Amino acid sequence: MAINWIESKVIDQTRWTDDLVSIRFENNIPPYIAGQFTKIGLKLDGDLISRPYSLVSAPHEDFLEVIYVNVPDGKLTPHLHKLDTNDSIFVMDKASGFFIMDEVPDGDKLWLVATGTGLGVFISLLKTDSPWKRFKEIVLIHGVRTSGELAYQDQIKELQAKHPNQLKYLQTVTREKIDNTINARIPDAIKDGSITNICGEINSSSQFMLCGNPDMINDMVDLLGTYGLERNRRSKPGNITLEKYW
């Protein structure tokens, strides 16, 4: 299917680490749904080079935002890394994807489990009303290697202040020992009770959205299977909705 591209202008970038960056640019695309992804690209040597990224921005915001990791020998990200305010960037005209709240069955507790840049899509979802109206409790878990990768702390604090009795936020950092974080992979921290002791039990009224590293997602699907939870499919609703990165 041919892609129609819309030219946009860079608004700003936030460098969380040397290689972890959020980029905001003008929102000139048709309305989209929180949780969807788009493709962004640059014209390089006469070709338009693009990659898919989940949107961190929410549909009501007047900008688009994605978060990426710079890959020094990559075809696109080193060039994204050099962009400045008002530089041109191209975006796919229509966002796509089904990692959205309408695809998640009802439940009492919504677990949002992310590694790395997978956090971004949950920021988009949590800036909308739907998850707060549908679930009594929301647990946001973000797993990273180093503390510098714990992005969007200000936005998460705003969400906690707005929903103090509804949102629990946990950080896991695997390569550093940091105060108030769990020093373990997310599946291991669930197995040993580090997470459930804080966030409560996992049961049939739990809905999980998993986004990020495929190894984390595969391990989580296997682990949640021991609780009797299964993949959510349109033909057979379940408790696990997922989106793998790279």
Side-chain angles (χ1 to χ4, degrees):
M1 181 182 297
I3 296 176
N4 293 320
W5 294 98
I6 295 176
E7 186 173 3
S8 181
K9 297 293 184 183
V10 174
I11 298 172
D12 59 35
Q13 294 199 51
T14 300
R15 294 182 181 258
W16 307 103
T17 69
D18 288 343
D19 291 314
L20 180 66
V21 181
S22 300
I23 182 169
R24 288 185 178 185
F25 43 99
E26 296 169 335
N27 182 2
N28 299 323
I29 68 172
Y32 62 95
I33 302 171
Q36 291 189 313
F37 70 90
T38 189
K39 285 187 175 182
I40 63 172
L42 297 173
K43 287 187 176 179
L44 303 170
D45 298 325
D47 295 322
L48 201 151
I49 306 300
S50 66
R51 294 291 183 270
Y53 293 95
S54 291
L55 289 161
V56 182
S57 48
H60 63 272
E61 293 177 314
D62 62 359
F63 58 86
L64 299 175
E65 181 173 355
V66 301
I67 184 170
Y68 70 89
V69 174
N70 180 40
V71 179
D73 59 352
K75 291 185 177 181
L76 178 64
T77 55
H79 301 279
L80 291 178
H81 223 49
K82 297 175 184 177
L83 292 178
D84 205 347
T85 302
N86 290 323
D87 283 347
S88 290
I89 191 170
F90 290 84
V91 57
M92 187 171 65
D93 65 339
K94 292 183 180 179
S96 184
F98 299 99
F99 197 68
I100 61 177
M101 289 308 304
D102 285 351
E103 296 292 326
V104 179
D106 290 331
D108 290 332
K109 184 182 292 187
L110 176 63
W111 299 74
L112 307 176
V113 181
T115 54
T117 58
L119 174 70
V121 68
F122 294 140
I123 297 297
S124 176
L125 289 168
L126 292 174
K127 287 191 285 189
T128 66
D129 292 334
S130 180
W132 308 106
K133 290 180 177 179
R134 289 188 52 198
F135 292 91
K136 296 176 183 177
E137 296 179 76
I138 297 176
V139 177
L140 175 63
I141 305 173
H142 187 204
V144 296
R145 296 166 300 176
T146 63
S147 58
E149 298 169 305
L150 292 167
Y152 295 107
Q153 292 299 295
D154 288 345
Q155 292 198 33
I156 292 170
K157 287 177 182 176
E158 289 178 10
L159 292 167
Q160 288 177 306
K162 190 175 181 180
H163 307 277
N165 300 316
Q166 202 171 357
L167 176 64
K168 287 187 174 71
Y169 169 55
L170 277 76
Q171 307 164 336
T172 74
V173 181
T174 57
R175 297 188 184 178
E176 297 175 351
K177 290 190 176 181
I178 307 295
D179 290 344
N180 302 315
T181 68
I182 296 171
N183 182 226
R185 293 180 67 243
I186 295 170
D188 296 335
I190 292 176
K191 287 179 184 177
D192 69 18
S194 300
I195 287 177
T196 51
N197 287 343
I198 298 170
C199 300
E201 65 179 4
I202 296 170
N203 54 38
S204 60
S205 67
S206 300
Q207 284 292 332
F208 278 80
M209 297 184 77
L210 312 176
C211 188
N213 185 299
D215 290 336
M216 178 277 287
I217 291 177
N218 292 337
D219 289 348
M220 282 294 298
V221 170
D222 290 343
L223 174 60
L224 294 174
T226 66
Y227 289 87
L229 307 187
E230 297 181 352
R231 287 274 305 270
N232 175 39
R233 306 178 191 277
R234 285 185 167 181
S235 59
K236 185 182 179 183
N239 302 79
I240 308 168
T241 304
L242 58 85
E243 185 153 280
K244 296 180 180 181
Y245 279 10
W246 90 77

